[in-house]
Amino acid sequence: MKVRTHLPSSYQDVLDFAYYSGWRRDEILGLTWDEVDLNGGVIRLTPRRSKTRIGRVLPISPPLHTVLKRRLRRRKGGDARVFRP
């Protein structure tokens, strides 16, 4: 992950999320806070947002929790998206 250290922090978060979730790029970049349940410890991807049209539930592992908390701290206003391009 040497490449990671040369990226801006927002890109590092996307890369970390991809590494720990195995999700596709569009699934990650389109992720909204409505789909994230930090207290429940899961992320729910709706069928309409999944390439396969099958919804999925992703348990939030400790590394993913770290990324999501960092994104939450950097959230601006009521921005619905977790990751901004």
Side-chain angles (χ1 to χ4, degrees):
M1 295 276 271
K2 284 187 177 187
V3 171
R4 182 187 180 283
T5 60
H6 298 286
L7 296 172
S9 62
S10 61
Y11 285 46
Q12 289 178 11
D13 287 344
V14 171
L15 183 64
D16 290 346
F17 191 94
Y19 181 80
Y20 291 109
S21 71
W23 280 17
R24 296 173 178 90
R25 179 181 54 94
D26 289 342
E27 293 170 345
I28 296 168
L29 295 179
L31 183 64
T32 65
W33 288 110
D34 288 343
E35 298 169 309
V36 177
D37 181 358
L38 280 175
N39 293 331
V42 295
I43 300 170
R44 291 180 178 84
L45 183 67
T46 62
R48 69 176 171 77
R49 286 220 324 103
S50 171
K51 179 181 175 183
T52 62
R53 298 293 178 223
I54 298 171
R56 297 194 303 276
V57 176
L58 175 68
I60 299 175
S61 64
L64 284 176
H65 192 266
T66 300
V67 170
L68 292 168
K69 291 295 267 188
R70 190 167 45 241
R71 298 310 306 162
L72 192 57
R73 283 193 305 272
R74 294 180 181 160
R75 185 179 185 190
K76 294 184 180 170
D79 194 357
R81 303 242 324 256
V82 174
F83 300 102
R84 275 297 181 199

